[in-house]
Structure formats: C-alpha cells, structure tokens
Amino acid sequence: MSNIFNIGKTALNAAQVGLSVTGHNIANAKTDGYSRQVIVQGTNTPQNWGFGYVGNGTQINTISRVYNDLLARQINNSQAIASASNTQLSNINQINNMLADSDAGLSPAIQDFFASINDLAAAPNDAASRQAMLSNGQALVSRFNSLGSRLQEMQASVNSQLAASVTTVNQYAKEIARLNDAIDIATSATGQPPNDLMDQRDQLVLALNKEIKGTVVVQDGNKYNISIGNGIPLVNGLNAYSLSTVNSPTDPSRLEVAYQVGSTISILSEQSLQGGTIGGLIEYRRETLDKTQNTLGQIAVALAQSFNTQHQQGLTNNNVQGGNFFNIPAPLVNANSRNNGDAEISSSIVDANLLTASDYRLRYDGSNYTITRLSDNTVQTFGSLPQTVDGVSFTLTNGTFDTGDEFLIRPTANAASDLSMAVTQIADIAVGAPVVGTSAASGNTGNGAISGATVGSGYAGSPLSSPFTLSYNSGDLSGFPAGEPVTVTTTAGVTTTYPAGSTVPYSAGASINVAGISFSLSGSPANGDQFTVAANTSNAAGDNRNALQMATLQSAKIMLNGTASYQDTFNRLVSYVGNRTRELQVTGAAEDELLQQSITTQQGESGVNLDEEAVNLIRYQQAYQAAGKVMQIASTLFDTILAIR
C-alpha cells in the first residue's frame, strides 16, 4: 500500500514542479536574456519482489535551461560587429552632412573668394572691389576655422564616448566575475545549475559585446573567462581586470584605451581593440575623422601657401611688394612624454604641392633617425637632421636625443582651425604685376610686340634690379639678363631651355621665361628692333595682371604633386566620406539583419512559446490530478484493510 502511495506522491511532486517551471517560463516570457527551462525526469530505482522489479515512481533529476552555446557565440559576435558599424555610422553621418552641405560646406566659400578676385581684376583700382575680396577672404578663413573647430569637437566627443564605454566595460566585467562566484557557490552547494543566474551572466556577456568584442572560454564547467583583443584577459574566473583611458603620450588631446593591472597601465594597440562601441570609435577616428581633419588642413595650407606665393609677386597700389595674404599655422610637434632626452624638434611646410594628409613619427634608434608616414607606414631612415619628407621639414633645434626618443608631427591637423588673415587693409592687396614689358625703341621698323609680362613664384626673392633690353638680329634674340638660363615654350607646346649667355632663336607667339619673368613676343620684328622689360614703378594702381594670376589658382593643379586643385582635393574628400558612409549603411544593415536572424534562431530554440507553455500547463495539471487520484486510491485501499480488521 505504501508503495502505491509513494509512487503517487512522487508523481504529484513531479507534476507540481512541472507546473512551477512552466509558470516561471510564462512569467519571464518577455525577460531579456531568459532561456526557457524544462524539467528533466528520471525513474526511481525499482524494487525486486522476486517475481520482477516494481517501479518506485519518478524523480526530478534537474531543471535545465534550453541553451545553445554555438548560437550564443554567433549572437555575441554579430552584436560586436553590428555595434561597431552602427557606432561608426552615427558619428560619420555628422562629417558627411557637414562636408556635403551646399551652404555651410567649403566649396561655396572658395568659389565666392575667387569670384571676388575676378571682380577685382576687372576693376583693380576700385576700393569696393578690394573690400569685397578682403571680406570674402575672411569669410573663407572663417569657414575653414568653423569646419576645423567642428572636427576638433568631434575628436573631443570620441574621447567622451571612449571614456563612457570603458567605464561600462569595467562594470560588466566586475558583475560577470561576481556572477561567476555566485554560480560556482550555488553549483557546489546543490550540484544543480542556477539557471537564472547563468542567464543573467550570458545577458551581461551580450551587453559587454555591445561595448567591445569579448571571447568566452568556460573554466571548470561553470566559470567564464573572457578575453579581448589578442587574448588580453578581462575576466578570469572570480577576478575582473580593468580598462582605462589615458592621454596619448604623443598627443595629450587624444585618449587611448589602456589595460590596468594594479598600478601598472599599458596602452593597448588600436588593432587589439575590435568590435563594439570601442572598436567602432577607434576605427572611425583613425579611418575617417583623422583623415578628414588632416585633408581639410592640407587644403587650407595648399591654398594659403600658393596664394601667398603669388600675392608676394605683386605690387600694391603704392608700388610696394606684396606680402603674405594668409597666416599659415606651423605643424603640431609633440614629444613623447616618455622621452629621456631633451631634444627639441621644429617643423615647417616647405612645399604644399608635396604635402600629404598624414601624420609622421620621428624616432631615434641610437644611430639613425627614422621618419614614418603613419597613413601607410612608409619609413625613411636618415643619419642626421634636418631632413625634408613630403614637403615637410624636420629640424633638431635644441638638445639631444636618447635612444628610443620619438616625436609625433602633425603638419595639417590644426591648419584649418588656426588659419588666419595676414592682410587686413585693402591698401595691402597686391593686384599689380611688378614688371611691365614695352617696345622701348621708337625706331623699331618691324611689327614685333612684347606682351603678357608676369612673374613666377621665385621672382619676389630676387626681383629685377634694372631693366634689360632684347635685340633681334637674323632670327635670334640677345640681351637676356647675365647668368640666367632662358626657357622658351612655342605655340606648339615644345619647351627648350637655353644656357645663360646664349642667343635664343625667335619663335612668334612663344612664351619666354627668364629670371622668374614670363612674357611673349609676337609679330615679325626687323633686324635691330629692341624690346625692354622693366620693373613696374608707377602703374601698379591700374594694373590687374597679378590679380589675374591669383584667379587662375582656383583651377590650378597645385596639390598632390601637381595632380589636383583645391576643389579636386575637397571633392575627393567628400567622395571618400560619402562612400564610407554608404558602405557603413549597407554593412550596418546587413549586420543588423544577421544579428536579428541569429536572435530569431536562438529564440526559436531557447525562447518561451506561450502556446507551448499553455499546453504544458494542461499536461502538468492532468498529471497532477492523476497523481492525486493514485494517492486517493491508495488511501481508500488502506482504509479497506483497516475496516477488515
């Protein structure tokens, strides 16, 4: 009798546990990270009665959660990638919108500035035209400043986001380590898995992967070890390690992610920080924000330097040689805070045509200096300083290097934000040309004419000290300045350079360049005809030739080693950022879809299906009622025996 009663009792207990587990599933159907739980039943050990083994009912072996480790790893990985893509996209959209803005972008300011130069060329002595050019120059500088300052704000925003994300990672790491301890204690005490605690831990791992990609390895069957990057431990059993943010040793304005063990802090390489918000921020800063900031500065420097050079070749209305029109900021030079030597480095931009949108690292190895272009890691080695690389000079101005000392040189990083006007008065605008060509000899008998006298970039450094007169005889020209070679470009585009002191064959309409001065001779001169080139000493006020040359700079190929104009370079930047944005939109959408598919698959296996749980409720209810009936019958039988007595 007691055997039947015990069997019913075990069945009743099993049905009751089944109802409790089912109710728990229903209650947590909308709980994030919850895995459906099921009871695992087994038969009790049967008893041998001689005629055979009679069962002793059932027992609950365990309550397990429906959990697929492979799917969990897929979701964590997809979460890290999707989070990184979305972080980049949300940040790069700001740059894309800023550059592509037809009103607030750089292109309108450049066009307005050069349009005002063309207007001034049409009326070189008009005060209103001069003021318009000066105002548009200031507007262009202000536009560069505004864009540069906005990019600096974005750099600061990256720092803030990195700091916040690192704090979150540390909190998750500590909580995962605490749950490791709690799960270990619970498992050791009962031998059964604490399913809800394990779900909480898995949900924290998923949240961690939103911040940075973490790799999970299970230790001792129930503890999680989590590493980031190239195996850097973040959680090791019951111990959690910390990340931190520190100022870059070569750029105090830039935060780097570091690994902290006790009081020891080591900066992690950017390549070791992938996935999640942190990985997305670092890739966005390296691949887009830095490149945009440097390229915008590169355009500012190239425009300012080329314009200054041409402006210096001209004359003001007062016949004074022109000076700088813009003030160009010097490159940023930062010594590594760990340097042991006292060396001081200076840098300047020598040739903006050769300038790249890259930063440079200068390092001393004890015997040689290595200069690394950081955009592509191109390394050049030198035995001494100064040196010039990509149009940027590197000079040791004071002190000495110790082995391992290094400097970070950023030629264009602050150029856009710090560009300023050098000319502030309309009287200082150099519109006129410093030389003028004339047919000086009144007795010329041919119809030859000299015209188009302009100067090149080197003229201001060695201006014409006295006039020179060319004489035509038997098809040749003579009388060029002593010691100066002569370059002739014919109308067919054939260029020939003649040594100093040579007579030069005459070619009608050819362009002649000597001593930084360009002019052309046309017509048919007669023997003995003479042509004089002299300094412009009295006609600068009405002269527009330098203004015309300054206007041509808008479309001149004076960047990227003579392959691009200002607008070309800016258009390439806009195209790069736009394509990068579109790439992230497509990639992000794909990763979000892949993440959602993984979650859907996982929920199909581990999630709570309310219809299924409703069926389980009915099943366990019927089992409970049947088990009660077994116990009722056992009680009735027992009462019958008592009645017989």
Side-chain angles (χ1 to χ4, degrees):
M1 224 42 74
S2 62
N3 186 48
I4 298 174
F5 189 86
N6 286 333
I7 289 173
K9 180 181 177 181
T10 61
L12 190 69
N13 287 336
Q16 184 177 13
V17 172
L19 286 169
S20 297
V21 170
T22 301
H24 188 58
N25 287 339
I26 293 172
N28 288 282
K30 298 299 181 181
T31 300
D32 290 338
Y34 180 79
S35 299
R36 178 168 57 92
Q37 297 180 12
V38 296
I39 62 172
V40 179
Q41 287 183 239
T43 57
N44 281 331
T45 304
Q47 183 178 355
N48 185 1
W49 287 80
F51 55 79
Y53 287 91
V54 177
N56 283 321
T58 187
Q59 64 180 2
I60 304 297
N61 293 332
T62 189
I63 298 174
S64 67
R65 60 182 184 144
V66 180
Y67 178 76
N68 189 313
D69 184 63
L70 176 60
L71 288 176
R73 286 200 300 270
Q74 289 178 350
I75 291 174
N76 287 334
N77 186 62
S78 293
Q79 178 64 78
I81 297 174
S83 182
S85 296
N86 291 329
T87 297
Q88 289 191 71
L89 181 59
S90 65
N91 282 278
I92 200 175
N93 273 330
Q94 300 177 56
I95 298 179
N96 188 44
N97 294 337
M98 179 182 72
L99 295 180
D101 192 315
S102 59
D103 296 322
L106 184 61
S107 294
I110 293 178
Q111 292 168 3
D112 290 345
F113 176 60
F114 281 99
S116 67
I117 298 175
N118 282 310
D119 291 342
L120 179 57
N125 203 26
D126 180 52
S129 297
R130 285 175 171 264
Q131 185 59 57
M133 176 190 171
L134 195 63
S135 298
N136 279 287
Q138 182 59 61
L140 176 60
V141 167
S142 297
R143 188 64 52 83
F144 272 117
N145 294 164
S146 176
L147 294 175
S149 297
R150 183 72 185 98
L151 292 172
Q152 289 179 340
E153 291 172 2
M154 293 179 189
Q155 292 281 8
S157 176
V158 170
N159 288 343
S160 299
Q161 292 178 70
L162 276 177
S165 190
V166 163
T167 299
T168 302
V169 166
N170 291 338
Q171 292 171 346
Y172 288 155
K174 290 178 182 178
E175 188 63 16
I176 291 171
R178 185 192 67 79
L179 285 172
N180 274 345
D181 187 31
I183 291 169
D184 188 51
I185 292 173
T187 303
S188 299
T190 64
Q192 298 296 333
N195 296 318
D196 293 323
L197 291 179
M198 296 171 76
D199 281 342
Q200 292 177 29
R201 183 177 62 181
D202 287 328
Q203 188 66 10
L204 281 173
V205 172
L206 180 61
L208 175 68
N209 275 272
K210 290 182 180 180
E211 306 300 327
I212 191 169
K213 186 179 186 305
T215 302
V216 178
V217 175
V218 180
Q219 172 190 350
D220 298 334
N222 56 31
K223 290 193 283 290
Y224 279 3
N225 289 344
I226 301 177
S227 61
I228 60 175
N230 300 320
I232 302 168
L234 186 62
V235 177
N236 189 2
L238 310 183
N239 299 315
Y241 301 94
S242 296
L243 299 180
S244 64
T245 53
V246 297
N247 291 332
S248 168
T250 54
D251 186 355
S253 67
R254 189 186 193 93
L255 285 185
E256 302 283 359
V257 179
Y259 185 68
Q260 185 170 355
V261 179
S263 60
T264 303
I265 297 177
S266 304
I267 295 178
L268 300 176
S269 68
E270 293 186 346
Q271 288 71 24
S272 68
L273 299 168
Q274 298 181 358
T277 298
I278 292 177
L281 285 170
I282 289 175
E283 186 173 354
Y284 154 73
R285 181 171 66 181
R286 181 183 64 245
E287 297 297 330
T288 304
L289 182 54
D290 286 349
K291 182 172 291 188
T292 301
Q293 191 174 24
N294 285 344
T295 302
L296 192 65
Q298 179 190 19
I299 297 170
V301 169
L303 189 153
Q305 188 180 83
S306 59
F307 198 86
N308 282 351
T309 299
Q310 188 58 56
H311 190 259
Q312 290 165 2
Q313 314 310 313
L315 294 178
T316 68
N317 279 7
N318 299 321
N319 291 303
V320 176
Q321 197 79 32
N324 285 338
F325 195 85
F326 299 102
N327 293 317
I328 304 175
L332 292 175
V333 179
N334 294 318
N336 193 310
S337 59
R338 300 168 183 171
N339 286 357
N340 294 316
D342 59 355
E344 296 178 7
I345 293 294
S346 66
S347 179
S348 63
I349 298 171
V350 179
D351 188 352
N353 183 32
L354 303 177
L355 191 62
T356 68
S358 178
D359 298 333
Y360 296 82
R361 181 176 61 239
L362 170 64
R363 176 175 291 169
Y364 182 65
D365 64 8
S367 57
N368 291 309
Y369 301 92
T370 58
I371 298 176
T372 304
R373 186 169 59 215
L374 297 180
S375 61
D376 57 7
N377 290 319
T378 298
V379 179
Q380 297 186 52
T381 303
F382 305 97
S384 63
L385 295 177
Q387 297 293 338
T388 299
V389 175
D390 296 336
V392 181
S393 69
F394 302 83
T395 304
L396 174 62
T397 57
N398 195 21
T400 56
F401 277 87
D402 271 6
T403 300
D405 285 358
E406 68 175 23
F407 290 78
L408 176 68
I409 294 90
R410 308 192 68 192
T412 62
N414 68 328
S417 59
D418 294 349
L419 185 69
S420 63
M421 290 285 291
V423 172
T424 58
Q425 303 295 326
I426 61 173
D428 296 327
I429 300 176
V431 177
V435 295
V436 58
T438 61
S439 293
S442 59
N444 283 1
T445 58
N447 63 358
I450 185 170
S451 62
T454 60
V455 297
S457 60
Y459 178 80
S462 181
L464 190 64
S465 58
S466 59
F468 63 89
T469 299
L470 303 181
S471 297
Y472 175 84
N473 284 290
S474 303
D476 291 327
L477 293 171
S478 60
F480 291 97
E484 297 288 348
V486 181
T487 300
V488 177
T489 302
T490 67
T491 55
V494 178
T495 299
T496 306
T497 299
Y498 299 91
S502 302
T503 57
V504 176
Y506 174 74
S507 176
S511 173
I512 301 173
N513 188 298
V514 59
I517 304 170
S518 294
F519 55 89
S520 63
L521 287 172
S522 59
S524 301
N527 287 338
D529 284 357
Q530 294 183 329
F531 307 91
T532 299
V533 177
N536 188 357
T537 58
S538 61
N539 194 35
D543 192 350
N544 69 348
R545 285 175 294 162
N546 200 48
L548 292 173
Q549 285 189 269
M550 289 189 292
T552 63
L553 294 175
Q554 181 178 10
S555 58
K557 305 294 185 182
I558 55 177
M559 293 189 67
L560 306 180
N561 204 19
T563 63
S565 65
Y566 317 132
Q567 193 64 54
D568 292 338
T569 306
F570 183 71
N571 290 343
R572 291 180 188 182
L573 174 62
V574 173
S575 176
Y576 172 81
V577 174
N579 289 335
R580 182 80 174 155
T581 302
R582 180 56 183 162
E583 176 188 343
L584 287 169
Q585 288 172 342
V586 173
T587 302
E591 291 300 337
D592 286 341
E593 179 63 24
L594 183 60
L595 174 61
Q596 192 56 50
Q597 288 178 3
S598 298
I599 292 175
T600 300
T601 302
Q602 188 258 1
Q603 285 297 301
E605 181 174 342
S606 300
V608 176
N609 185 314
L610 292 178
D611 291 336
E612 181 181 351
E613 298 304 323
V615 172
N616 287 339
L617 277 178
I618 296 173
R619 181 164 62 89
Y620 285 125
Q621 179 188 15
Q622 292 174 343
Y624 191 91
Q625 291 171 342
K629 192 67 175 177
V630 170
M631 294 181 68
Q632 182 184 8
I633 292 173
S635 177
T636 301
L637 292 176
F638 186 68
D639 289 342
T640 301
I641 293 174
L642 290 178
I644 292 173
R645 287 187 176 183

